[in-house]
Amino acid sequence: MNKKLLGYVALFIAIALLPALGVYPIFVMKVLCYALFACAFNLLVGFTGLLSFGHAAFLGTAAYVTGHALKVWALPAPLGLAVGAGAAAAVGLVFGLLAIRRSGIYFSMITLALSQMLYFVFLQAPFTGGEDGLQSVPRGSFFGLDLGNDLTLFYVVLGIFIAAFWLIYRIVHSPFGQVLTSIRENEARATSLGYDTGHFKLLAFVLSAGLAGLAGATKTLVLGFATLTDAIWTTSGLVILMTLVGGMGTLVGPMVGALVIIALENKIGDFGKLLADTTGVAWFNGLGESVSLVTGLIFIVCVLAFRRGLVGEAMALLEKRRASS
C-alpha cells in the first residue's frame, strides 16, 4: 500500500472517530454529503476539463426522487438511494447529449440553462411540494440497521462516501482516467490519437451526475427533506466554490473545500459572536447573516493567493521542498 492510500485510510479513520470526540454527527454527515458532491463535480471539471454551471440539477433530482421513493413508495433506504442516483445519472445523460456538442463557455451556459429549466419543473411538479419542499422523509433501515439512530446513520453515510471516493480514485487512476486527463490537457491531440473524445466526455458527465445524485440522495436521507435549494443555480455556484477553495484536480481538495464552506455556513454566527465579545465591536454579531460576504472574500483570497486551492498549494509546497532537499 503506497503512502497516498495510507493517508486516505488515516483520514477516514479520523473522520470515523469524530463523533467519539464530541462532534455533532449530523454536521459531519452534511459535510460528507457536500464533499461527495464536490468530488463528483471535480471529476468533471478537475480531471476532464468540463465546467458545468448546472450540477445542482443532479443533486436536486436525486434528492426529490429519493425522498419520494422513501416516503410515498416506502422503498428501503438502499433501493431509494439507488433510484435517486440512477435518476440523476439519467438526467445527466440527457444533459450530456445536449451539452457536449459545445465547449468552453457555451457548454457551461447550456448546462446552466438546462438546470434552470429543471428547477422550474421542480417548482411546479406536485410530488416535490413546490416551495414547501418534500418534508418528513423517513430514514428506514439499511440492510437491517436502524437509521433512526444518528450514530448508525453516520457510519452508513461514511461507508457510502468511502465507496464513492474509492470509485473516483479508481476512475482517475485507470486508463479511462488517463484519457480524460489527456482530453483536459489537449483534446485535439487526444482526437488525433484515435480516441472518441465525445464518448469519453459523455461518460464522464454521466458518472459525475450519478455521483452528485448519490450525494443528493444521501443528504435527503440524513436531513429528512428535499427543497428547491438543492436544485437552484446558487447550489451549482456553491460546489464550484468548494472545488476551487479546496483544490481543483486533487482528490482531497473538494473535501477540504466542502468542510470550509459548510463550516462557515453553520458556524459563522458563533464565530461572529465570539469576535463581538472579544473585541467589543457589535457589528460582528451580524456576521451570521453575511455568509455570502464571507465566502465571497474567501473566494477572492483563494483566487489571488491560492490559485491551486488549499490542498493544491500545500502539495506544490511539499514538492518544492522535496526538490530542494
Side-chain angles (χ1 to χ4, degrees):
M1 185 179 292
N2 60 40
K3 291 183 179 179
K4 281 189 177 181
L5 286 179
L6 284 174
Y8 296 144
V9 170
L11 174 62
F12 293 135
I13 291 175
I15 294 173
L17 294 174
L18 288 177
L21 299 176
V23 181
Y24 188 40
I26 298 294
F27 171 74
V28 182
M29 286 189 281
K30 185 178 179 181
V31 172
L32 286 173
C33 292
Y34 277 102
L36 177 54
F37 184 31
C39 287
F41 178 75
N42 186 49
L43 178 64
L44 187 67
V45 68
F47 295 101
T48 314
L50 297 175
L51 176 59
S52 168
F53 285 165
H55 247 55
F58 313 128
L59 186 82
T61 296
Y64 279 121
V65 171
T66 296
H68 189 78
L70 295 177
K71 183 177 181 179
V72 180
W73 298 341
L75 294 181
L79 191 54
L81 293 173
V83 170
V91 173
L93 177 62
V94 175
F95 279 25
L97 287 171
L98 295 172
I100 62 168
R101 301 179 184 183
R102 297 292 180 265
S103 60
I105 189 62
Y106 303 104
F107 170 86
S108 302
M109 295 309 296
I110 289 173
T111 58
L112 175 61
L114 292 171
S115 176
Q116 283 300 99
M117 288 172 62
L118 192 60
Y119 168 82
F120 286 109
V121 170
F122 290 146
L123 179 63
Q124 301 294 331
F127 80 96
T128 64
E131 294 182 353
D132 295 329
L134 190 62
Q135 306 289 335
S136 303
V137 177
R139 291 179 176 178
S141 61
F142 194 93
F143 296 115
L145 298 173
D146 180 19
L147 299 183
N149 183 286
D150 286 347
L151 194 59
T152 302
L153 180 61
F154 168 77
Y155 288 111
V156 169
V157 171
L158 179 59
I160 292 171
F161 179 82
I162 292 174
F165 184 86
W166 176 250
L167 176 61
I168 294 172
Y169 177 87
R170 294 299 301 162
I171 290 172
V172 169
H173 291 88
S174 68
F176 170 73
Q178 298 303 309
V179 175
L180 294 183
T181 303
S182 70
I183 292 173
R184 179 194 67 190
E185 298 296 330
N186 193 327
E187 185 175 350
R189 185 176 179 84
T191 302
S192 69
L193 292 174
Y195 293 108
D196 184 353
T197 57
H199 173 77
F200 280 92
K201 289 194 293 184
L202 178 60
L203 186 53
F205 195 92
V206 174
L207 284 170
S208 179
L211 289 167
L214 181 59
T218 307
K219 191 172 84 70
T220 296
L221 188 67
V222 171
L223 301 180
F225 59 83
T227 65
L228 289 171
T229 305
D230 297 326
I232 200 168
W233 66 270
T234 52
T235 302
S236 296
L238 192 67
V239 75
I240 295 173
L241 180 61
M242 290 175 182
T243 306
L244 291 178
V245 168
M248 188 172 64
T250 64
L251 287 172
V252 180
M255 297 171 59
V256 175
L259 173 61
V260 170
I261 300 303
I262 299 302
L264 276 175
E265 288 187 345
N266 286 266
K267 304 297 182 181
I268 190 68
D270 296 336
F271 181 66
K273 186 176 184 303
L274 177 64
L275 286 176
D277 294 339
T278 304
T279 63
V281 179
W283 179 84
F284 287 120
N285 284 317
L287 202 58
E289 301 172 1
S290 307
V291 177
S292 298
L293 173 64
V294 176
T295 52
L297 289 174
I298 289 176
F299 176 71
I300 293 171
V301 171
C302 282
V303 168
L304 295 178
F306 303 99
R307 299 291 295 275
R308 287 169 285 205
L310 298 175
V311 173
E313 290 293 342
M315 291 174 61
L317 184 59
L318 287 174
E319 289 295 329
K320 186 177 179 180
R321 286 185 176 179
R322 285 175 186 171
S324 62
S325 61

